[in-house]
Amino acid sequence: MTGLALVTGASSGIGQAFARRLGGLGHDLIVVGRRRERLDALVDELPQVKVRPLVADLATDEGVAAVADVCTAEPLTLLVNNAGVAHYMPFAELPAAKAAELLHVKAVAPVMLSRAAVPGMLARGGGAIVNVAGMIAFSGPATLEQVPVRRAVYAGTLAGSVAFSQTLHEEVKAQGIKVQVLCPGVVATEFHERQGLDLSAVPRMSADDVVTASLRGLELGEVVCAPGVEREDLLQAVSAADLAAFGAQSPELAQRYI
């Protein structure tokens, strides 16, 4: 599949790796980020395709609206909602402005950009959306001893991305649109450094491998793509448990509450 791809958070890390890989495969690109000089570098690096830099801050309503307008106007074949921020800290200490930034970048932006892109994809009979989340999405039941990073809002947005992607895929798959939620573990990028964390001693996957998994996962029809999870049956078990709990509900009060 080639055509026109829009990648958010394209100035570094996984987004930059997506842009480079997709450009190498022949996709024209719209690359979104806050650092113009890095976006311009992608223009110079990929002369074989058309690369349009779009400077926007997805932590703001104005930034989301500007990119959504492009998603509506342009014939996208692929939308990669990759832009990210984490703000790891105890919930009670998380400044309201940082909480709002996190929610805008990881929840509002992917939903609104997908909402802007889907009608055109439906009209054209196909397309794909990749929402970059992470394995932290599945860490809700973990104790602080198991996962010591304070992450309530971040984990919540990623878990929401999983449910959003799964339900949206089910809604649009018959019209030829694929939706994937990409859930890597720790990746060797600038992301954690920007959060003030030094994970240099932790084994990390490369951003290139994450992109390889995502694109192959689209070919395989995976809705939840976990590049570092070898056993696919574990992911299937999570989905089966969700559906089992969902299907077990009753209008009668559960006995444990009586």
Side-chain angles (χ1 to χ4, degrees), residues 2-167:
T2 58
L4 178 62
L6 186 147
V7 182
T8 69
S11 58
S12 65
I14 295 172
Q16 186 181 70
F18 261 112
R20 286 170 170 164
R21 182 73 61 83
L22 293 170
L25 292 172
H27 287 263
D28 291 331
L29 298 167
I30 301 171
V31 289
V32 180
R34 291 183 293 183
R35 291 173 283 186
R36 180 59 187 250
E37 69 282 358
R38 292 208 176 179
L39 300 180
D40 287 341
L42 286 171
V43 177
D44 296 335
E45 187 178 335
L46 299 167
Q48 72 277 18
V49 294
K50 296 178 181 177
V51 181
R52 173 183 169 186
L54 176 56
V55 177
D57 184 354
L58 295 179
T60 67
D61 289 334
E62 296 78 11
V64 172
V67 181
D69 286 345
V70 174
C71 290
T72 299
E74 298 292 342
L76 301 183
T77 53
L78 175 62
L79 168 63
V80 181
N81 287 310
N82 164 76
V85 64
H87 296 320
Y88 296 119
M89 63 182 66
F91 183 71
E93 299 173 15
L94 180 65
K98 288 186 179 293
E101 179 185 15
L102 204 166
L103 290 169
H104 260 82
V105 173
K106 294 307 296 178
V108 174
V111 169
M112 298 310 294
L113 300 191
S114 297
R115 174 61 187 82
V118 162
M121 290 181 176
L122 289 173
R124 293 184 294 274
I129 296 171
V130 174
N131 295 314
V132 180
M135 290 305 293
I136 288 288
F138 302 99
S139 73
T143 66
L144 280 176
E145 288 73 27
Q146 292 170 310
V147 183
V149 176
R150 271 64 171 174
R151 63 197 185 282
V153 180
Y154 184 56
T157 62
L158 298 194
S161 183
V162 173
F164 168 65
S165 301
Q166 289 172 317
T167 52

Side-chain angles (χ1 to χ4, degrees), residues 191-204:
F191 180 77
H192 292 96
E193 294 173 12
R194 295 202 305 270
Q195 312 305 314
L197 298 176
D198 181 7
L199 298 184
S200 57
V202 176
R204 296 175 291 171

Side-chain angles (χ1 to χ4, degrees), residues 135 138 166 180 213 216-241:
M135 290 305 293
F138 302 99
Q166 289 172 317
Q180 177 193 93
R216 178 60 178 147
L218 284 174
E219 293 175 353
L220 294 172
E222 291 185 349
V223 179
V224 179
C225 175
V229 176
E230 183 65 39
R231 289 179 53 192
E232 186 183 3
D233 65 298
L234 294 176
L235 300 172
Q236 294 171 346
V238 172
S239 296

